[in-house]
Amino acid sequence: MGFSKQALYCYSKAYSLDPTNVDALWDRAILAKEIGQINTARTALCAILRQIPHDLNVLEELRPILIEGNKIDVCASLHQDAFEHHQELYPTGIGIDPSTGQEILGGGFDLMHTLVLADSYNSIKKYHNAVTTIRRGSRWLQGRGSQSYWDACEDDREFDIVGSTVIRSGTVAPGMYELDINARHRLAVARIKMGDIEEGQMHAGVILAQDVREYAPLFSEIADAYYDKRMYTAAVATYEELGQDPATSSIYVLERAAACRRMNGDLENSAAIYEQVIAADPENDDAKRGLAEVYEILGETRKALNLVNQVIDARGRRGARHGRQGTVTSHPNVQGASLFEETPSSRSTKGYRSSKSSRPVARELEVEKEKEVLKGYRRVTDLTPEMKTGNEVVVKEWLLEAEKLIENFRETRRLFLSTRSLGFQGMFKTKRDTEENEDNMASRLQIEMDREKGAGSKRSQNLVDVFRGVSFDDWLQLTMEYSFLLIRRDQHSLADEVLRHMLFSNAYQNQRAQDTLRLALIACAIHARDYKAVVEHGRKIIFTYQFNNEPIRILLAALASGHRQLDAFVASAFQKAMLREVRFSDLASSHPEQIKWNSSKHRFFNSAAIAKSEYDEEGEGEDDTSADPNQMQVDAPSLPKKPNPLLVTMYGQSCTSYQSAIYYLLQAYENCPEDPVVCISLAIASLSRAMQRQADNRHHMIAQGLAFMSQYRKIRAPDPDGAQEVEYNFGRLFHQIGLFSHATRHYEKALEIAEKRVGGTPKEGGIEKEAAYNLSMIYVTTGASALAQNLYRRWLSF
């Protein structure tokens, strides 16, 4: 009779009177699904599952409902339970269909259900679970469920292909088992997104070798995975392969290809693709906005302004059309004598009403959250003075309140958008916000056109500098204090996670905030003795400030001295990165006509090599945080006029071969002969080379080392704090080559200088303890134990 709501009521009553009545629940679920009452349908189907656990027919009906309701984690959990149940019930991978009595793969839980489970895990970013599902599920369905030893392999060698170039280590040989192309696709996506690039590319290569027409959706998803990992070079190749065939091309594919070209700095080709999209779809405002931004970066202001004006005009025409439309006709109630208000409800109209009505609710929730944040921030501010005194009770309370605030910040998706260049534009992105951005861009472009030729412009945006009543500067200060407090309590991993996450926030994409967070990460890494992280973040700062020596000095100061610092300093990846900087700095000073300013990456590049891949040997681009054109400063720095001795010195010091070190340090000496660090570095390299068995000119190298040490003494000795240092270093030199009498004389002079200080106590930064220790080693070696005991008591016992 059309009384759907009354029917649902009757079904629910029937079930409440007879909880075993599965038919009533099933009919209720199907009817609720038909009329768009998704929550009711989900509740009914879940109630059936409680009575008939792991029923695949129920899961088939429930899956689209859970996906539509954004309950993908529940979908994954239910399918995982069914997966484990069928594996336990049918360990051979073959079951009997109760309706036909015939054998059926997986007892009904076949490859399609396995793929659904893997897709669910990929959707909720549990990529490791997706990999495990595909590997165990395919193995089980192939009748190899007992081969659990494959689980001990972290890679996918079980499904390697013939001719694979991936190098495998360990005792387990690759299995070369067949794998369904759809299952391999899920493996490829999961591996790429979890950062296991080499493994993911192996699987992706198998898929991309197929016919693009037959497997276009798989191609597109792999390209999207590359795009999400900012592997734009790999992504654009796949997007363009899709775009070349009319059967697989689409506006989405072409727009993504244009975006990849833009991210790679290939602005001309990016503009060409956007132009193709606009030619195919003249009403595509998104493509026009993207092309306008590319034109603006290229300096073609007039073309950019023309496109923005087209978008604004189209917006006005749409508004006029909507204004001329009549009022929406209301739907009459279904006639009859229903006890309920039976209004026809389709999913589209229901969704329309819910989206409209949810806005006020969302804004009310946001107001409540803002009040909660302000209350917590006031409490943290009140506790801060006493927290800094070290009161343990107050420190714990401060940490608890600060953690709530910072997690509130980090859980806000509007602060961590994939397009970080847009900045934070408020909690509610509305059509009006987009229109304001278009108007602002038009105004900016018009002003730029009115300026004199050659005048620069900076991109301005309608940004918001406050989040939930607290300024972003205060949020940053709170994050720093919280992280440093965690570090002092030996919670380095948590502090590092918080600071790294903040690097990706839209609110902190300006250079000042990025530098602050990087320096904070370096400070935390120093405290935790994680010098690999120190080098990582130091490299980022060096790369950002091209031709600037201050970031290099910061990194060197952060590494200071020590075995762990040395290991990080001489790592091959760091050496290769610095060698590239050395060579490019030399090219910039000697042949400036060969380099070109890349406005999208905000760096100078060799014009002959600008199109090369941006990924280095670690699989990560040096510029992965500066690909957005609005993220860093846009003004090109001035080019160096002469070679940079600091870069060459640092690279020479990092060389593990003394011959290479001498080669680069001599270049530094040629450009800066009055620097004591260069001189003593050359002396050390020369003497160390002389001590090697392969040296065929040992005496010459020793003489050369002594010559550079003499130059070092000439430069350093006039400094009031340099005399003791010079004496110690000469003693260390003679100690190394076995001239103990000379070494003893210089060590004793270093101690005499220390004795002349008031009180004769070891000085902070002095090297008398080192001199005393080395001298005592000579005394012990030569049998003068009594003299060594005197040194122990005087300088090494406190």
Side-chain angles (χ1 to χ4, degrees), residues 411-430:
E411 290 171 358
T412 305
R413 296 186 64 181
R414 292 285 299 170
L415 288 166
F416 296 90
L417 300 177
S418 58
T419 52
R420 298 194 295 274
S421 61
L422 294 178
F424 180 64
Q425 298 174 321
M427 286 300 297
F428 298 97
K429 180 68 175 176
T430 64

Side-chain angles (χ1 to χ4, degrees), residues 731-749:
R732 179 67 180 80
L733 180 151
F734 288 119
H735 194 168
Q736 179 172 340
I737 62 178
L739 298 178
F740 292 157
S741 59
H742 290 74
T744 301
R745 185 167 64 253
H746 286 288
Y747 284 144
E748 288 174 346
K749 285 183 179 179

Side-chain angles (χ1 to χ4, degrees), residues 154-161 164-174 191 196 198-199 202-203:
E154 295 183 359
D155 52 45
D156 303 327
R157 67 182 66 195
E158 180 180 3
F159 301 107
D160 274 359
I161 58 173
S164 173
T165 58
V166 180
I167 299 175
R168 303 298 190 190
S169 60
T171 57
V172 181
R191 287 292 187 184
D196 195 349
E198 185 180 20
E199 203 75 20
M202 181 196 72
H203 297 302

Side-chain angles (χ1 to χ4, degrees), residues 626-643:
S626 59
D628 293 328
N630 307 322
Q631 187 171 324
M632 305 300 177
Q633 72 271 15
V634 297
D635 297 330
S638 58
L639 291 174
K641 305 299 182 184
K642 56 184 180 180

Side-chain angles (χ1 to χ4, degrees), residues 685-699:
S686 300
L687 287 169
S688 300
R689 175 60 182 169
M691 295 295 104
Q692 290 183 315
R693 184 178 300 173
Q694 299 90 343
D696 56 359
N697 55 347
R698 182 166 299 163
H699 296 291

